[in-house]
Amino acid sequence: AAIYIPEKGDIEVMSGKRVTIDKKNFYEFTTSHFSDFALVDADEAGIETSEAMTAEDVKAVVKGLKLKAATKALKKSIRVTVKADKETLMKLKESGCELKYNYYRAARKNGRYKLIATEKSNRYVDTKTAKGKTYYYKARLAVYDGEGRLIAATSLKNCNASKRQVKKAA
């Protein structure tokens, strides 16, 4: 946790979050003034934080997460957007987790879905498509800890398939 240390009075706990950049952990908080601040171990200082989630907590949250793939036909490609509960995604990010989306495609709705891309974004543009052909898409959310280790992933069965046909030549 980050705390503000005033010249007189009690310390003030700053709201902030843990972030991971290039597999390094940082604590980010915003302030409107230059002053004395400190980073402290929240448990040792007796500060209650809501951001600490164990790997088991993350697994439980991810297991119940439902994803929905939505598609849009572009000129020569298909854009896939993954939708999920925003609050749950924010909770995972604030706990220091890194989220990655695995995109899958099949030729039939109940066919075999093959992994076509892994992205940090909930949007992917599939450029390897043929005009007039219909594709089905699903996605999986993979959650990694600050060290880059996989903690949990959603099931493909927890994602509604989205169907889209690439526009035919005019």
Side-chain angles (χ1 to χ4, degrees), residues 52-93:
M53 286 179 72
T54 66
E56 294 305 316
D57 294 337
V58 171
K59 287 176 186 175
V61 168
V62 170
K63 185 176 182 181
L65 189 62
K66 300 277 186 198
L67 302 180
K68 182 177 182 188
T71 54
K72 181 175 182 173
L74 305 173
K75 263 188 177 181
K76 296 180 180 181
S77 58
I78 297 174
R79 181 176 60 216
V80 183
T81 304
V82 179
K83 297 178 182 179
D85 180 52
K86 290 180 183 179
E87 287 182 26
T88 303
L89 296 178
M90 281 303 288
K91 187 177 179 182
L92 290 168
K93 287 180 184 176

Side-chain angles (χ1 to χ4, degrees), residues 4-70:
Y4 163 54
I5 306 169
E7 287 184 28
K8 297 178 183 173
D10 294 333
I11 63 168
E12 180 183 327
V13 178
M14 306 295 294
S15 64
K17 64 181 180 179
R18 187 179 306 177
V19 294
T20 304
I21 302 170
D22 295 328
K23 297 183 181 181
K24 294 180 183 172
N25 293 319
F26 297 91
Y27 193 81
E28 181 179 274
F29 66 97
T30 304
T31 181
S32 60
H33 53 87
F34 291 107
S35 299
D36 290 328
F37 296 94
L39 290 177
V40 298
D41 183 308
D43 291 336
E44 286 185 23
I47 299 170
E48 212 171 297
T49 61
S50 61
E51 68 175 87
M53 286 179 72
T54 66
E56 294 305 316
D57 294 337
V58 171
K59 287 176 186 175
V61 168
V62 170
K63 185 176 182 181
L65 189 62
K66 300 277 186 198
L67 302 180
K68 182 177 182 188

